[in-house]
Amino acid sequence: MILFKKTNQLRQQLSAAKAANKKIGFVPTMGALHRGHLSLIETCKSICDVTVCSIFVNPAQFNDKSDYEKYPITIENDILLLENSGADILFLPAVAEVYPEGWQQQAIYTLGYLDSILEGEYRPGHFQGVCKVMHKLLNILQADILFLGQKDYQQCMVIKRMMDDLQLQTQLHIVPTQRELNGLAMSSRNMRLSSDAKEKAAAIYKALSYIKNNIHSASIEVLKTEAKNIISTAGFNKIDYVEICDAISLQPVHETNNEKLAALAAAFIEGVRLIDNVQIE
Ligand code: AMP
């Protein structure tokens, strides 16, 4: 694996690969890597000739400064995991390399409704920051395929919208969520949880699975109330939302229909904010 910290050196390497007609796949991450990230690398390797992973904790997407400061950094272990995963390139830029002009700017991406619901409502500015960094990284890499995890489902929809709006050439490939044995979605944030909380935190997936399994036997309101009960009874201190939405537009639905739905939740345990979602056919 080759490590690049500088944009121009990475660009040079990739233009040689492109000239040789290699298909370039891109897996952006914020590090603190786990099996979820590695499944993205594996999928990328199975489809592309060159697998590029980036590790960049993007200050522009943290609406809460202390969340940014507490974000786990495990770079040495990440490099080992990436070496073993067979990734070809690691892009590890400094903040000034990605944002030479600084990163605190006005919202510029037209995300409409997607920017103000669910994560958008509870993390103002978050998706503008996500788009800002993804736009820059996609512009630098000019990858053929971008690999994102379904774990951050709204983020996938937001980035898809930004890519479509800007008519970027890169295709999006969404990879299923990897879970612990108890159902807890793998996340870098889980590192901040005690082992007791990791057990309790599986309640988010239980609650979302409850919605999925009972989608035709109860009303949307009853399903959401019951799911919230499951989460709070398990020991979560605060629930931001439990919502059942159209899987494409992410508009909340009020009754079940034949469309594909998604159940999404965000809640705090031991001061750590966890999110998850399940798709309902
Ligand atoms: P992050 O480092 O949290 O920004 O995540 C980088 C990428 O890994 C994003 O596309 C995430 O959706 C994806 N990802 C994170 N956790 C998981 C998981 N448990 N399963 C699959 N993909 C994941």
Side-chain angles (χ1 to χ4, degrees):
M1 183 174 75
I2 316 176
L3 189 158
F4 292 98
K5 292 191 170 184
K6 297 288 174 201
T7 303
N8 54 358
Q9 290 167 356
L10 173 67
R11 273 208 170 111
Q12 250 172 29
Q13 178 80 15
L14 291 180
S15 58
K18 270 180 215 136
N21 254 337
K22 305 272 190 206
K23 187 181 275 189
I24 294 168
F26 177 36
V27 179
T29 80
M30 297 203 297
L33 300 183
H34 50 69
R35 196 151 47 76
H37 297 114
L38 298 181
S39 74
L40 269 65
I41 304 269
E42 228 169 79
T43 311
C44 180
K45 275 179 65 71
S46 70
I47 298 174
C48 298
D49 303 307
V50 179
T51 294
V52 184
C53 177
S54 65
I55 296 181
F56 179 66
V57 184
N58 173 31
Q61 73 186 66
F62 285 83
N63 53 311
D64 174 352
K65 194 163 169 260
S66 81
D67 193 25
Y68 175 58
E69 283 159 1
K70 283 191 221 151
Y71 202 83
I73 309 278
T74 59
I75 193 65
E76 280 166 21
N77 192 50
D78 291 350
I79 291 175
L80 273 178
L81 288 174
L82 286 176
E83 287 275 11
N84 291 336
S85 73
D88 300 295
I89 293 176
L90 168 60
F91 183 42
L92 187 63
V95 172
E97 184 71 15
V98 177
Y99 297 119
E101 77 291 9
W103 49 269
Q104 269 146 338
Q105 293 164 359
Q106 299 296 309
I108 48 168
Y109 297 94
T110 317
L111 302 173
Y113 188 69
L114 281 176
D115 210 5
S116 57
I117 46 158
L118 306 169
E119 291 302 286
E121 179 181 347
Y122 288 90
R123 303 186 65 187
H126 168 65
F127 286 128
Q128 290 294 327
V130 166
C131 285
K132 201 181 298 268
V133 79
M134 284 310 302
H135 189 186
K136 287 206 170 237
L137 292 173
L138 290 171
N139 184 43
I140 294 166
L141 268 87
Q142 306 280 329
D144 295 288
I145 310 181
L146 168 68
F147 293 84
L148 298 177
Q150 189 208 307
K151 154 81 174 35
D152 299 281
Y153 186 65
Q154 189 177 4
Q155 171 170 278
C156 295
M157 296 298 109
V158 161
I159 293 174
K160 169 106 183 52
R161 163 103 196 232
M162 184 266 290
M163 286 165 54
D164 288 348
D165 267 4
L166 299 176
Q167 298 174 309
L168 303 185
Q169 294 286 308
T170 308
Q171 302 292 306
L172 174 60
H173 185 118
I174 299 177
V175 180
T177 305
Q178 298 294 307
R179 301 182 178 280
E180 303 289 354
L181 282 177
N182 67 4
L184 172 64
M186 291 185 172
S187 164
S188 307
R189 289 194 160 86
N190 296 354
M191 286 180 194
R192 289 166 48 199
L193 296 177
S194 67
S195 47
D196 181 43
K198 276 185 198 148
E199 277 313 309
K200 292 175 175 166
I204 295 200
Y205 182 57
K206 270 193 208 116
L208 296 175
S209 302
Y210 173 86
I211 292 177
K212 179 175 177 153
N213 296 334
N214 292 283
I215 195 78
H216 293 302
S217 36
S219 72
I220 294 288
E221 279 318 308
V222 167
L223 289 171
K224 288 199 295 193
T225 306
E226 189 48 39
K228 283 180 187 168
N229 282 339
I230 294 172
I231 294 172
S232 45
T233 310
F236 278 81
N237 344 84
K238 183 170 171 258
I239 298 176
D240 275 354
Y241 60 82
V242 172
E243 201 50 86
I244 304 173
C245 299
D246 179 278
I248 305 299
S249 68
L250 285 183
Q251 291 269 6
V253 296
H254 301 290
E255 53 194 47
T256 46
N257 50 26
N258 288 330
E259 302 301 322
K260 229 180 121 189
L261 301 176
L264 308 99
F268 287 85
I269 189 162
E270 287 185 346
V272 179
R273 189 172 184 278
L274 302 179
I275 61 169
D276 199 355
N277 69 88
V278 300
Q279 302 290 307
I280 305 170
E281 297 291 334

